[in-house]
């Protein structure tokens, strides 16, 4: 009878995974600390600097004259953007037209109004009576008030830039999308409204939002022709009280507040038109 020897085989031990040690980012955290310290020093210097006269800023921040100037700035911005993009869309259509005359007119308009400083354009319109004393038998002296001049000048200026924004947005749409819509038998209007425009808005909204914020701040230039916008309103006050710095801070804070609100709105509009694209998060 043979005896059998039973040998106990040890189970293999599982390999221990290596310990992952996070990478030390000493330089990055040092830079963050330095930036925070500098930011804190800057804020402290502004808040504790008596030259800013924050009590005066608080007194005039919601004063009647400042709020009237703010209201004029807001509706002037809205009106200029609406008229500017309406004219800009027409110019973009001319530029994309097969008609060489319309293309030349659109190109010439954009070239001219982008070449002239906005201040020069406003002064030309303000002195239109000296250039053309009569138009169609109507005397032009004192025909256009400062607000009307501001609307005309800013609108013509914005239309030149809006035309390029709209044209770039339309050209960003893949040509195959339009050809597919044509193959489905969609009318020209439905192709533009349902296919081209929604996709073009992804490229139009970001620069249009930047233009809106730029126009809001750019309306301050109309103060040179005595339009009582936000900046001109605070100028009237500090010319009387000689409190230049605090009144300029009033205008600055209002511009910061309004541009911040517009930036938030721009973010949500961009996210709306980015639905279904790879850029959507």
């Amino acid at each position: 009878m043979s005896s059998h020897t039973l040998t106990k085989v040890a189970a293999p031990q599982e390999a221990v995974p290596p310990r992952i040690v996070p990478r030390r980012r000493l330089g990055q955290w040092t830079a963050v600390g330095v930036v925070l310290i500098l930011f804190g020093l800057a804020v402290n210097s502004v808040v504790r600097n008596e030259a800013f006269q924050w009590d005066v800023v608080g007194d005039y921040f919601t004063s009647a004259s400042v709020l009237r100037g703010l209201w004029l700035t807001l509706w002037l911005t809205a009106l200029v953007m609406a008229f500017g993009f309406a004219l800009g869309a027409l110019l973009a259509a001319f530029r994309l037209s097969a008609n060489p005359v319309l293309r030349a007119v659109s190109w010439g308009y954009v070239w001219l109004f982008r070449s002239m400083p906005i201040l020069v354009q406003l002064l030309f319109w303000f002195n239109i009576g000296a250039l053309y004393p009569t138009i169609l038998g109507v005397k032009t002296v004192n025909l256009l008030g400062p607000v009307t001049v501001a609307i005309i000048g800013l609108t013509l200026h914005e239309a030149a830039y809006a035309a390029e924004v709209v044209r770039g947005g339309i050209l960003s749409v893949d040509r195959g999308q339009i050809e597919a819509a044509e193959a489905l038998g969609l009318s020209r209007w439905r192709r533009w409204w349902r296919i081209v425009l929604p996709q073009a808005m992804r490229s139009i909204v970001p620069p249009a939002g930047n233009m809106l914020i730029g126009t809001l701040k750019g309306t301050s230039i109309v103060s040179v022709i005595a339009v009582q916008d936000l900046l001109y309103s605070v100028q009237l006050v500090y010319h009387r009280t000689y409190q230049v710095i605090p009144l300029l801070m009033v205008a600055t804070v209002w511009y910061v507040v309004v541009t911040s609100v517009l930036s938030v709105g721009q973010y949500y509009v961009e996210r709306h038109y980015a639905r279904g694209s790879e850029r959507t998060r």
Side-chain angles (χ1 to χ4, degrees):
M1 179 176 181
S2 61
S3 60
H4 298 278
T5 304
L6 299 177
T7 304
K8 186 178 180 180
V9 180
Q13 295 182 353
E14 296 181 357
V16 179
R19 181 167 170 264
I20 299 176
V21 179
R23 181 181 178 183
R24 296 180 180 180
R25 301 179 182 273
L26 182 60
Q28 180 179 359
W29 288 108
T30 301
V32 170
V34 172
V35 170
L36 290 177
I37 292 173
L38 294 177
F39 178 75
L41 292 175
V43 172
N44 182 68
S45 67
V46 172
V47 172
R48 303 188 64 178
N49 191 338
E50 296 181 356
F52 284 102
Q53 302 181 46
W54 292 107
D55 55 335
V56 178
V57 174
D59 292 338
Y60 284 101
F61 190 71
T62 56
S63 62
S65 60
V66 171
L67 292 180
R68 283 196 300 269
L70 175 64
W71 171 243
L72 191 147
T73 296
L74 292 177
W75 71 255
L76 180 61
T77 301
L79 204 62
V80 167
M81 286 297 295
F83 289 164
F85 262 87
L87 180 56
L90 182 63
L91 291 169
F94 285 177
R95 188 72 179 274
L96 297 172
S97 172
N99 190 320
V101 176
L102 295 181
R103 291 202 306 269
V105 169
S106 177
W107 183 89
Y109 180 97
V110 173
W111 168 77
L112 178 63
F113 282 91
R114 288 203 306 180
S115 302
M116 295 175 60
I118 181 59
L119 179 58
V120 175
Q121 297 180 42
L122 289 175
L123 293 177
F124 267 125
W125 285 104
F126 194 70
N127 295 280
I128 189 67
L131 296 172
Y132 300 98
T134 59
I135 297 179
L136 299 177
V138 179
K139 293 185 178 180
T140 57
V141 179
N142 299 325
L143 178 63
L144 301 178
V147 176
T148 306
V149 168
I151 294 174
I152 294 174
L154 292 175
T155 297
L156 295 178
H157 177 77
E158 291 297 315
Y161 291 89
E164 292 299 283
V165 169
V166 174
R167 185 174 71 92
I170 294 174
L171 292 177
S172 68
V173 180
D174 186 20
R175 178 66 186 174
Q177 298 285 324
I178 303 176
E179 293 175 351
E182 292 176 350
L184 291 174
L186 296 180
S187 64
R188 183 180 182 85
W189 170 252
R190 292 194 65 187
R191 288 199 303 267
W192 282 95
W193 184 253
R194 302 291 296 178
I195 305 298
V196 177
L197 187 59
Q199 297 183 70
M201 290 297 290
R202 297 174 185 171
S203 300
I204 292 175
V205 170
N210 295 334
M211 283 183 59
L212 175 60
I213 294 175
T215 302
L216 173 73
K217 297 181 294 183
T219 54
S220 60
I221 201 171
V222 301
S223 60
V224 300
I225 56 176
V227 175
Q228 294 190 13
D229 68 322
L230 178 58
L231 179 60
Y232 191 77
S233 298
V234 300
Q235 287 177 333
L236 290 178
V237 176
Y238 71 62
H239 285 158
R240 186 178 69 251
T241 64
Y242 302 102
Q243 297 169 316
V244 179
I245 299 299
L247 269 301
L248 288 178
M249 286 304 301
V250 170
T252 300
V253 173
W254 269 121
Y255 281 122
V256 170
V257 169
V258 177
T259 53
S260 300
V261 173
L262 293 178
S263 298
V264 173
Q266 177 184 350
Y267 166 76
Y268 284 104
V269 174
E270 286 184 15
R271 192 173 70 170
H272 171 76
Y273 283 105
R275 291 179 304 174
S277 67
E278 296 180 355
R279 292 175 293 178
T280 305
R281 294 184 178 180

